[in-house]
Amino acid sequence: MQINLLVMNKGTVKFFNETKGFGFIKDADSNNEYFVHVSGLKDQIRENDEVTFELQEGRKGLNAVNVKLA
């Protein structure tokens, strides 16, 4: 079962490994960190980029999806 939370969040890319295709985004409001996979990207991202994203339930918790540069 997939749950989509259609709320646009803002955050900063804390870490992203282009070779492995994953990283973490720190939410600007809650300071929570969310996993992001290359499959959830709309734009190419790098560390310290400001981004907007949605959250989607993944196998191990909430994942950042539809990640775009802010």
Side-chain angles (χ1 to χ4, degrees):
M1 180 170 134
Q2 291 218 337
I3 298 171
N4 252 346
L5 306 175
L6 299 175
V7 176
M8 255 330 182
N9 299 285
K10 292 182 182 178
T12 304
V13 179
K14 183 172 180 184
F15 165 82
F16 192 76
N17 184 320
E18 287 187 42
T19 306
K20 294 184 179 179
F22 72 90
F24 293 91
I25 295 174
K26 185 173 184 178
D27 188 288
D29 292 329
S30 68
N31 284 332
N32 289 339
E33 292 181 14
Y34 299 107
F35 178 82
V36 60
H37 187 265
V38 68
S39 64
L41 300 180
K42 296 290 185 186
D43 295 321
Q44 194 170 4
I45 62 172
R46 289 193 290 225
E47 284 180 33
N48 299 316
D49 281 347
E50 298 290 321
V51 294
T52 61
F53 60 97
E54 296 172 9
L55 294 173
Q56 184 177 70
E57 189 67 41
R59 286 184 292 184
K60 296 182 180 181
L62 291 173
N63 295 339
V65 296
N66 295 325
V67 179
K68 301 176 193 169
L69 294 172

